[in-house]
Amino acid sequence: MSGVGKKVADVAFKASKSIDWDGMAKMIVTDEARKEFSSLRRAFEEVNSTLQTKFSQEPEPIDWEYYRKGLGSRIVDSYKEYYESVEIPKFVDKTTPEYKPKFDALLVELKEAEQKSLKESERLEKEIAEVQELKKKLSTMTADEYFEKHPELKKKFDDEIRNDYWGY
């Protein structure tokens, strides 16, 4: 197996182990997104499987003697010489070092955005609970009970009454 092919297969295998497919699936809310996600996962697994099977096997050695019998030794020796002189250049990754800091910065930004989102979600859930509670009590609630929960509105109305401002 060529060194580059083996490296590609190893990287793909490691990448597949580090992906939290179930965690990502839990975050998806729409049916269309679920379909797209399962399609992405299936495509990824097909490519990964192909890489594992295709690049993880060593190529079968060439039976030079078999070809010598059919073609003659001079031409086969020539091909063998050319075959053995081929050197596959070693892959040198110049892209990853360039983009790694940018990617790491984006990961930090992502974590910060996630924390903000979680805090905002928590705040909104509390607000929803308060509104639902208020909705249940609204038909039997008195103005005094409402103003107990919202003293700023009581102050505003009291100021308007004191200043003889009746809204028109």
Side-chain angles (χ1 to χ4, degrees):
M1 167 187 278
S2 70
V4 174
K6 178 78 170 146
K7 184 171 183 168
V8 167
D10 289 344
V11 168
F13 182 72
K14 288 176 187 173
S16 70
K17 295 295 181 194
S18 66
I19 296 174
D20 182 13
W21 293 105
D22 295 330
M24 286 192 287
K26 289 176 185 174
M27 294 181 198
I28 298 174
V29 291
T30 65
D31 288 336
E32 184 179 341
R34 283 189 190 96
K35 289 177 187 173
E36 289 292 324
F37 181 74
S38 66
S39 172
L40 171 69
R41 184 174 185 178
R42 193 171 29 260
F44 179 84
E45 288 172 355
E46 287 174 11
V47 169
N48 197 25
S49 173
T50 302
L51 287 173
Q52 288 300 314
T53 57
K54 186 175 182 180
F55 292 112
S56 65
Q57 302 169 356
E58 290 290 330
E60 292 184 25
I62 298 173
D63 184 7
W64 298 108
E65 291 305 316
Y66 170 78
Y67 292 107
R68 275 194 185 91
K69 291 176 188 171
L71 297 173
S73 73
R74 207 168 96 187
I75 193 165
V76 172
D77 288 341
S78 172
Y79 273 103
K80 183 177 180 181
E81 180 183 331
Y82 288 129
Y83 177 79
E84 290 174 350
S85 70
V86 171
E87 288 186 30
I88 298 173
K90 189 169 184 161
F91 175 72
V92 178
D93 185 6
K94 297 176 184 172
T95 307
T96 301
E98 179 182 340
Y99 287 100
K100 181 95 170 107
K102 294 176 184 176
F103 182 75
D104 291 342
L106 285 174
L107 282 177
V108 168
E109 190 176 319
L110 173 74
K111 291 290 184 192
E112 291 171 357
E114 179 185 27
Q115 292 303 317
K116 282 183 185 177
S117 175
L118 289 172
K119 287 179 184 175
E120 182 65 12
S121 177
E122 187 178 307
R123 184 190 70 76
L124 288 172
E125 285 182 19
K126 286 180 184 176
E127 189 173 321
I128 288 170
E130 288 175 6
V131 168
Q132 287 175 340
E133 181 184 328
L134 182 63
K135 184 179 174 183
K136 288 177 188 175
K137 294 180 178 179
L138 195 59
S139 62
T140 60
M141 183 181 282
T142 64
D144 290 334
E145 291 171 338
Y146 184 81
F147 287 142
E148 272 182 37
K149 289 192 177 225
H150 303 284
E152 69 282 355
L153 283 176
K154 179 170 178 30
K155 182 180 182 312
K156 178 183 170 196
F157 288 140
D158 287 344
D159 288 345
E160 288 177 357
I161 292 169
R162 203 173 306 109
N163 295 329
D164 204 24
Y165 178 73
W166 293 94
Y168 44 84

